Amino acid sequence: MKNTTYIDSIAEFKDKQATISGWLYNMRKGGKLRFLIVRDGTGTIQAVVSKTDVNEEVFALCDELTQESSIRVTGKVVADERAPSGFEMQVSHLELVSKADEYPISLKEHGTDFLMDNRHLWLRSSRQFAILRVRHEIIAACRAFFDDRGFTLVDAPIFTPNACEGTTTLFETEYFGSKAYLTQSGQLYQEAGALAFGKAYCFGPTFRAEKSKTRRHLTEFWMIEPEVAFCDLDGDMDLAEEFLEYVVQRVLKNKARELATLERDVTKLQNVKRPFPRISYDEAVAILKKENVEFQDGNDFGGTDETVISEKFDRPVMVHRYPSAIKAFYMKNDPTDFSKALCVDVLAPEGYGEIIGGGQREDDYDTLKNKILHHNLPLEAFEWYLDLRRYGSVPHAGFGLGIERTVTWLCGLSHVRETIPFPRMMHRLRP
Ligand code: 4AD
Ligand code: MG
């Protein structure tokens, strides 16, 4: 709107008049003064209304304002060391845009279910605001990293004819008389991208019918998935660690204020520098055994196992070469030990669990075809994918980073549900 100043650039208006358009976050009263805490989406500022400085109607209007009423305040911007923004406003005029009904979210504590039911309003709270600003920075950093390194964005489809990550978590939908599935991962399409563009990536929503109610699983989450031609598992791990270091250091630099709001201990994140430790699945199992964790060799790691392993390190740890029996059909076997897959999971420190899954892909036509059959997957749906091994197959590798798990970790949250504007989980489809 004309003449509006945003709070994040209020410094330019020091000792000058400005108008802020926003919402009333909170108000304190004191004799002839009213202290309005106004937020405008870029920050908050205290606007002080003094009975001696404004006309009677304006002062009376203050007492009618309700939490989250939309307002425009005009006044002189003055420096104030105690203020979070470094400034406050001495109000000369106040305009009510729309008076809010009694706001359901007060500044006191509420239960999570209640807040989730009111997610469309909860987004306005300072913690949620900070989390989603960190999310934005993570996504911007992910894209910039690959854009700056010559990767081409190759968008993967959301309706797919086949599974990528196992058939148990597929969302099925009717598709003009036949079946389609919501994508679990853009990877298979990214392999086509890598063979066309050398280095490719996609970024989009992915879906898994996760029936488990854990603090790490959503049914709809966002993934960034790079894929590189002429790349092996070691090259893939090099890329993953360079990428994670970049994302974390950029968030620390650009979102310090938000991390402070979240009371995140950033010293834990400052360690996220290359090289990351690389251990094999067998070495990870040995850690569990040493810690007396009950674990069946050959199984996949559960959340608690991952926590025990990651607690041994002060930065992300890359666990490679899991048993191929528990991994997806497209993974290439280790030529030196056929029972293992050339894959890697990156586990975040501090018990935040797996944030990246990836590895080298099976590039041999016959081996891949047998794997598809062995996994009881419908061959016709994968003919196009096999073409990538028919026409100029090369060693190639890639990975997927889950955005929400990364936000959970960087913000230091206990549950993934607050890391996406409108979370989708088994028991949550609204708002
Ligand atoms: O390990 P995943 O299943 O790997 C893949 O989908 C590969 N096709 C990616 C690739 O190589 N291009 O998933 C990758 C990441 C996980 O490490 C995790 O961060 C996240 O996606 N993820 C989830 N995040 C939230 N909710 C869920 N249900 C998730 N499932 C996976
Ligand atoms: Mg995984």
Side-chain angles (χ1 to χ4, degrees), residues 36-332:
L36 315 183
I37 307 297
V38 183
R39 61 163 195 91
D40 75 344
T42 71
T44 56
I45 194 167
Q46 174 164 276
V48 186
V49 188
S50 165
K51 199 168 184 174
T52 50
D53 290 349
V54 295
N55 65 37
E56 260 175 47
E57 289 101 81
V58 166
F59 197 75
L61 180 57
C62 287
D63 292 344
E64 275 180 43
L65 293 181
T66 49
Q67 187 187 347
E68 287 302 317
S69 286
S70 42
I71 53 178
R72 281 164 62 79
V73 281
T74 302
K76 188 176 166 190
V77 176
V78 292
D80 179 353
E81 283 170 8
R82 293 157 304 171
S85 64
F87 295 92
E88 68 170 30
M89 177 180 268
Q90 294 170 347
V91 178
S92 53
H93 190 66
L94 168 69
E95 185 191 328
L96 175 64
V97 179
S98 174
K99 184 171 172 176
D101 287 355
E102 194 184 336
Y103 196 60
I105 304 178
S106 61
L107 297 172
K108 66 172 204 293
E109 295 270 310
H110 291 284
T112 308
D113 264 346
F114 174 84
L115 290 168
M116 275 297 170
D117 287 342
N118 287 286
R119 183 67 175 162
H120 49 297
L121 303 175
W122 191 24
L123 296 179
R124 303 178 188 190
S125 305
S126 59
R127 275 183 60 86
Q128 299 308 311
F129 175 81
I131 294 168
L132 293 181
R133 298 256 292 186
V134 171
R135 177 189 171 95
H136 172 100
E137 187 71 33
I138 290 171
I139 293 172
C142 288
R143 303 191 76 120
F145 179 87
F146 293 114
D147 291 343
D148 291 350
R149 284 162 184 76
F151 284 67
T152 299
L153 176 71
V154 179
D155 299 307
I158 287 178
F159 285 128
T160 60
N162 53 263
C164 177
E165 296 299 327
T167 48
T168 53
T169 60
L170 273 180
F171 275 116
E172 190 180 301
T173 172
E174 204 270 337
Y175 197 77
F176 305 113
S178 63
K179 278 183 201 165
Y181 308 99
L182 298 185
T183 185
Q184 295 169 306
S185 157
Q187 179 200 315
L188 308 186
Y189 297 95
Q190 230 34 240
E191 292 182 52
L195 270 59
F197 299 90
K199 295 181 275 187
Y201 76 96
C202 62
F203 173 62
T206 47
F207 306 86
R208 309 239 176 131
E210 305 275 6
K211 292 186 194 77
S212 52
K213 287 202 294 177
T214 81
R215 57 197 177 88
R216 291 179 184 169
H217 289 91
L218 296 164
T219 54
E220 181 179 312
F221 62 98
W222 288 67
M223 233 203 297
I224 185 135
E225 298 181 85
E227 192 73 27
V228 183
F230 299 101
C231 180
D232 60 9
L233 178 61
D234 285 339
D236 203 33
M237 291 197 274
D238 292 345
L239 183 67
E241 67 179 1
E242 187 188 350
F243 168 62
L244 271 183
E245 177 186 298
Y246 173 87
V247 171
V248 173
Q249 297 306 323
R250 182 168 146 166
V251 169
L252 281 174
K253 183 163 160 263
N254 294 349
K255 287 293 175 278
R257 198 160 49 115
E258 285 75 4
L259 294 173
T261 301
L262 297 166
E263 296 171 352
R264 179 65 165 111
D265 176 0
V266 291
T267 59
K268 297 264 167 47
L269 299 174
Q270 283 156 355
N271 289 339
V272 182
K273 295 260 172 73
R274 285 172 286 170
F276 297 169
R278 300 179 184 195
I279 61 171
S280 67
Y281 169 89
D282 290 341
E283 287 169 312
V285 171
I287 291 177
L288 294 178
K289 293 269 148 77
K290 205 168 157 214
E291 295 295 323
N292 294 317
V293 177
E294 213 172 291
F295 181 78
Q296 181 66 49
D297 203 348
N299 280 0
D300 204 354
F301 300 129
T304 328
D305 305 322
E306 287 178 352
T307 300
V308 173
I309 298 163
S310 70
E311 273 170 356
K312 294 273 164 240
F313 307 95
D314 68 345
R315 60 199 72 201
V317 53
M318 307 205 266
V319 184
H320 53 80
R321 295 180 172 79
Y322 285 63
S324 51
I326 55 166
K327 287 290 181 183
F329 74 96
Y330 52 71
M331 292 191 179
K332 189 172 178 66

Side-chain angles (χ1 to χ4, degrees), residues 327 345 354 357:
K327 287 290 181 183
D345 275 8
E354 179 202 330

Side-chain angles (χ1 to χ4, degrees), residues 161-167 184 188-189 329-330 365 368-369 371-373 375-390:
N162 53 263
C164 177
E165 296 299 327
T167 48
Q184 295 169 306
L188 308 186
Y189 297 95
F329 74 96
Y330 52 71
Y365 176 86
L368 182 60
K369 185 174 172 185
K371 285 187 170 206
I372 292 170
L373 294 171
H375 277 81
N376 287 320
L377 294 166
L379 199 56
E380 17 7 297
F382 289 94
E383 281 301 338
W384 70 269
Y385 185 60
L386 283 163
D387 270 355
L388 305 176
R389 281 71 181 168
R390 277 193 195 100

